[in-house]
Amino acid sequence: MMKLIPSLFLLYNISTASGQLLSDLIQPNRQQLRQQPQQLISDNQQPSIQQQQSEQLLGSLITIIHDVTGDVFSVGDNQLRIRGFTYDGTGPEAFILAGTRGESPSEKDGDVVVAHPFQPRRFRYGDQDIPHLRKFDGEDVLLTLPQGVRVDQLTWLSVWCRRFSISFGHLIL
């Protein structure tokens, strides 16, 4: 026990000398805990063990062109995570499109535009200001579905090219 006291004293001196209290170094920031998950997790961060346990694998993207790959997970009712997402970024007007009807990706059945990075407004397929996907190289990407859309309603998910009306890669759910 005698060795523990000097160690704690040294740790206390180091933490107070840096201007931070020991309790600040140990306890998480409560304001961060109140934030939405998509605000806490950047594209490049690994999810916590708790978040990994709440994720369910839906399947892997089928590569068509432009090197699209990744494993798709549901995260709660209204989010998807694509782990190890790759896309070469060279396709014109490419974005994430999903459908709540139909058996495969199509312009006709694509009724859910999933904006990345997330934007709170709901986009329609024809909107010219849908954010286009940049290049991704094995990154983890968190997608938030538009308000009123749940993961269990989706029948497919696609990296879609509006200019040529084709899927660069997709997952049938």
Side-chain angles (χ1 to χ4, degrees):
M1 188 68 170
M2 293 298 282
K3 291 182 181 179
L4 181 60
I5 293 171
S7 297
L8 285 176
F9 180 73
L10 178 62
L11 184 57
Y12 175 79
N13 284 338
I14 291 170
S15 66
T16 55
S18 70
Q20 287 186 297
L21 297 176
L22 180 61
S23 61
D24 291 340
L25 295 173
I26 296 172
Q27 294 180 353
N29 182 330
R30 290 189 181 152
Q31 183 179 0
Q32 284 181 335
L33 292 176
R34 291 186 202 117
Q35 293 176 348
Q36 295 295 324
Q38 66 266 24
Q39 294 170 329
L40 289 175
I41 301 171
S42 73
D43 288 346
N44 296 322
Q45 286 182 315
Q46 292 294 331
S48 70
I49 292 173
Q50 182 181 7
Q51 290 163 333
Q52 288 177 16
Q53 291 172 345
S54 69
E55 295 179 0
Q56 180 180 359
L57 178 65
L58 299 176
S60 297
L61 292 169
I62 296 169
T63 306
I64 308 296
I65 54 176
H66 292 289
D67 302 325
V68 172
T69 61
D71 295 325
V72 180
F73 294 80
S74 65
V75 183
D77 292 336
N78 71 332
Q79 291 182 315
L80 298 168
R81 181 182 313 282
I82 305 177
R83 288 201 191 176
F85 182 51
T86 59
Y87 164 61
D88 68 11
T90 63
E93 295 187 58
F95 53 88
I96 303 292
L97 183 66
T100 59
R101 58 184 186 267
E103 296 179 9
S104 63
S106 70
E107 180 178 342
K108 178 183 86 138
D109 292 329
D111 58 343
V112 181
V113 173
V114 185
H116 182 76
F118 174 74
Q119 294 186 17
R121 75 173 263 215
R122 186 164 184 163
F123 288 93
R124 293 183 181 170
Y125 182 85
D127 290 342
Q128 294 303 305
D129 57 343
I130 297 170
H132 297 164
L133 293 175
R134 62 174 176 79
K135 179 180 180 177
F136 292 87
D137 190 17
E139 300 173 46
D140 288 354
V141 178
L142 184 65
L143 303 171
T144 300
L145 299 177
Q147 186 173 359
V149 178
R150 295 184 326 270
V151 172
D152 64 357
Q153 295 174 305
L154 301 179
T155 58
W156 54 266
L157 179 78
S158 174
V159 175
W160 185 260
C161 174
R162 180 172 48 199
R163 184 174 298 168
F164 296 108
S165 296
I166 59 169
S167 174
F168 293 161
H170 58 264
L171 172 63
I172 307 299
L173 300 168

